[in-house]
Amino acid sequence: MSGGLRWVVWGFVSTVVLTALLSGSQRMRLTRLDLPFLLGTLVTPDRDRAKLYGLGLHLVAGMVFSGLYVAVFIAWGRASWWLGGLLGMLHAGFVLMLLLPSLPAVHPRMATESQDPTDVRTLEPPGFLALHYGTRTPLVALAAHVAFGAMLGALYGA
């Protein structure tokens, strides 16, 4: 299998597993974070359609991130589960410390840390480390992203 095909196949599989881990954690009430829903409400106010649109956006984002992982694997000249897991830790740190806390600045339906919810901005802001969605949220996000990276590193490097 060529490198490009391995990226597409294993990147997609790893992204589906990541999405399932995050969704399962939310359903098990380990966290209130629902990334596909947050992404979907960026493009529609309809809460039911937001879940479907958000799933698509999360899969696309996962493919973009998996492409970045593969670029790093190529630059390092090797891929393994532990290198992928290390990248997953960095990825989770980026999501929890930079991306999610910045989301209220661009999300049309999310309240901000300094302004209460309104009729339009009804979603709670995630806060630093997404702690507004539960104290276990950082651990859930870290575990899911490490699993994503480890799986991608192991499968891409095989």
Side-chain angles (χ1 to χ4, degrees), residues 18 21-22 25-26 30-31 33 35 69 88-97 100 129-131 134-149:
L18 168 68
L21 287 173
L22 290 173
S25 299
Q26 198 250 346
L30 295 174
T31 177
L33 177 65
L35 274 178
Y69 280 53
M89 288 177 65
L90 295 172
H91 183 177
F94 170 75
V95 169
L96 290 167
M97 291 190 281
L100 287 175
L129 298 175
L131 285 168
T135 56
R136 292 179 286 209
T137 298
L139 294 176
V140 165
L142 177 65
H145 285 86
V146 168
F148 168 84

Side-chain angles (χ1 to χ4, degrees), residues 44-158:
T44 181
D46 184 314
R47 296 177 81 86
D48 293 325
R49 287 187 182 173
K51 293 174 184 176
L52 180 62
Y53 295 163
L55 175 63
L57 289 171
H58 194 252
L59 291 175
V60 169
M63 290 305 296
V64 170
F65 274 102
S66 69
L68 294 173
Y69 280 53
V70 167
V72 172
F73 293 148
I74 290 170
W76 286 345
R78 60 190 289 205
S80 66
W81 68 268
W82 68 270
L83 288 172
L86 179 65
L87 289 174
M89 288 177 65
L90 295 172
H91 183 177
F94 170 75
V95 169
L96 290 167
M97 291 190 281
L98 297 174
L99 188 63
L100 287 175
S102 301
L103 199 54
V106 296
H107 200 296
R109 283 166 263 290
M110 183 174 283
T112 67
E113 295 283 336
S114 59
Q115 294 180 333
D116 290 335
T118 65
D119 290 341
V120 175
R121 293 179 171 262
T122 59
L123 298 175
E124 181 180 17
F128 184 68
L129 298 175
L131 285 168
H132 292 183
Y133 296 148
T135 56
R136 292 179 286 209
T137 298
L139 294 176
V140 165
L142 177 65
H145 285 86
V146 168
F148 168 84
M151 180 177 230
L152 182 59
L155 294 171
Y156 185 82

